[in-house]
Structures are given as C-alpha cells and as structure tokens.
Amino acid sequence: MADKTTLVLPGSKMTVPTPIKRTIQVSASVVLTALVVLAVVLVNTLMISRTGSAAQGLGTWLAFIKRGDIQATMVLTALVTVLFVYWQRDKERR
C-alpha cells in the first residue's frame, strides 16, 4: 500500500496517497507556468503591437501552448523539480 501524506489546499487538508499528491503538485506547476507564459505573451503583444489587441496575444499563446513539445517540456520540468525537492528534503532528514 502506498504511503499516505497530507495535501494542503486552500481551505482544506486531506490525507492522500503520495503519488496522487505528486501528480497534483506537477499539474499545478504546469498550470501556473502556462499562466505566467500567458501574462508574458499578453504584455508583450500589448506593448509591441500597434493595435494593442489582447485577442492577438491570446491567439499567439494558444498556438504556443498547444504544441506538444512545449507541453512535454512543461510537464517534464515540473516533474523533475517536484521529485528533486522531495529527494533533497529526504536527504536532509538523514
């Protein structure tokens, strides 16, 4: 049976299996990364574009974020980061 751990979300705490917690953390990291990229693309479009259209920036972001290589890079980076942080924390405890 998998080890149980506490998952803290805004307004609640729950006990979940460790792989579920890691999956939620990686997913949250990917979503946050996509939102940061959206903000950067929108600001860039508003500053550079003569028309200043946010719709053009959103279209650019959607074209970028739908690419498989970009999605794979975001997931791989988030996964490696989460696993490294937990591995490092476990080494510090010993």
Side-chain angles (χ1 to χ4, degrees):
M1 183 166 169
D3 292 333
K4 296 279 187 169
T5 185
T6 302
L7 176 65
V8 179
L9 296 173
S12 66
K13 284 184 180 182
M14 18 182 161
T15 303
V16 295
T18 303
I20 298 296
K21 181 177 180 180
R22 302 290 186 270
T23 302
I24 291 170
Q25 289 173 326
V26 168
S27 300
S29 298
V30 169
V31 169
L32 288 172
T33 302
L35 290 175
V36 168
V37 170
L38 173 61
V40 169
V41 169
L42 283 177
V43 168
N44 183 46
T45 301
L46 292 174
M47 291 176 69
I48 301 297
S49 176
R50 294 177 194 256
T51 59
S53 172
Q56 181 184 0
L58 186 60
T60 303
W61 176 76
L62 282 173
F64 177 76
I65 213 72
K66 285 182 178 180
R67 292 178 43 186
D69 58 334
I70 299 302
Q71 292 174 357
T73 301
M74 288 187 339
V75 170
L76 182 62
T77 302
L79 181 64
V80 168
T81 302
V82 167
L83 293 176
F84 176 75
V85 166
Y86 280 100
W87 174 79
Q88 191 71 25
R89 188 190 68 182
D90 290 342
K91 293 292 183 184
E92 289 175 354
R93 287 183 180 170
R94 293 182 188 161

